Amino acid sequence: MSTYSSASDQGSIYSSPGRQDYQVGAGTTMSNASTINTTSLPALLQSLRSHTINTLPALRRTERLIASLPASTPNKAEIAKALHDAWIYYVDYHSLLNELRGLTKTYPFSESCLEEAKRGVSKGSGNYCYGVLRRVRDHRLIPTHARALAAKPVMWGGRKPSSSEVQKLAAACEAEWTRVLTMVLRHWEG
C-alpha cells in the first residue's frame, strides 16, 4: 500500500509540501531525494507493477527519481517501462479522474472530457498522463464539455434550462476545471 505523507499537512497536495516519504514495499521507504540505492530498485519496480505508487504526486516524484538514475543503473529500462505502464494504468483506470474530481468538489471534472482527450493521445509516446492533460488544455476541451454538461436537463431538475442559465453554469464549470487543470499541470510545467 502506498503511503503519502508530509512533514507539513498544510495546503493542497499539489502545493510544495516539502519532504515526502512513501513506502514502496514491505519496510522500504523512499524519499524525494535525488539518489536511490540499488537495493531499493526491486521494491520500486514491484511497487510500480502493483500500482501501490498510485497518486499523481507520487508518480511524478518517482518519474523524477528514475530520470536522475545513471544510465548504468541495473534494470533502469525495466523500471522506466514499469513507470510508463503505471502512468497508463493511472489514467485508464480512473485514478486521474478521481483525483481531478477530488479537487473539483463544486462541479466534478467531466469524465467525457478526459475520455475525449485520451482518444487523441498515443500511449506509446512520452508520459501518457501529461499528454492527456495537455490535450485537454491545448485543444480547449473544457469549454465544450462544460457547455454540454450545463445544457443537460438533469442539471436543472429535469427541466430545460434557459440559455442564460446554461452560460452561467458552463462558466462556473469551466472556471473550476481550468483552475484545477492548471494546478495539476504545474507538476510538469512549473
Side-chain angles (χ1 to χ4, degrees), residues 24 29 53-54 94-96 116 123 126 146 174 177:
V24 293
T29 301
I53 299 175
N54 57 10
H94 302 294
S95 296
L96 174 60
E116 182 178 341
K123 292 180 183 179
E174 184 176 343
W177 298 351

Side-chain angles (χ1 to χ4, degrees), residues 35-46:
T35 60
I36 181 174
N37 65 42
T38 56
T39 59
S40 299
L41 292 177
L44 175 61
L45 185 59
Q46 177 58 30

Side-chain angles (χ1 to χ4, degrees), residues 13-14 16 22-23 38 53 58 105 113 134 153 168-169 175-177 179:
I13 63 171
Y14 295 101
S16 297
Y22 55 99
Q23 290 189 347
T38 56
I53 299 175
K105 301 233 185 256
C113 182
R134 285 279 314 262
K168 286 178 185 175
L169 180 56
E176 185 172 18
W177 298 351
R179 177 189 57 79

Side-chain angles (χ1 to χ4, degrees), residues 48-143:
L48 287 168
R49 288 180 174 158
S50 64
H51 312 294
T52 55
I53 299 175
N54 57 10
T55 65
L56 182 63
L59 285 165
R60 269 302 283 148
R61 244 190 339 276
T62 303
E63 186 173 57
R64 286 190 298 271
L65 181 77
I66 291 170
S68 73
L69 293 173
S72 61
T73 302
N75 302 326
K76 183 175 180 178
E78 185 179 4
I79 295 167
K81 169 77 168 93
L83 177 63
H84 178 79
D85 293 345
W87 277 118
I88 292 171
Y89 184 88
Y90 174 79
V91 173
D92 283 352
Y93 290 92
H94 302 294
S95 296
L96 174 60
L97 177 62
N98 288 337
E99 282 199 58
L100 291 173
R101 284 186 168 174
L103 296 168
T104 55
K105 301 233 185 256
T106 307
Y107 305 104
F109 201 89
S110 169
E111 181 176 7
S112 61
C113 182
L114 275 186
E115 290 299 321
E116 182 178 341
K118 286 165 40 176
R119 286 190 296 272
V121 177
S122 168
K123 292 180 183 179
S125 62
N127 181 309
Y128 182 54
C129 183
Y130 179 62
V132 168
L133 294 170
R134 285 279 314 262
R135 186 167 180 87
V136 168
R137 182 187 67 197
D138 296 350
H139 288 256
R140 298 201 31 81
L141 299 180
I142 286 177

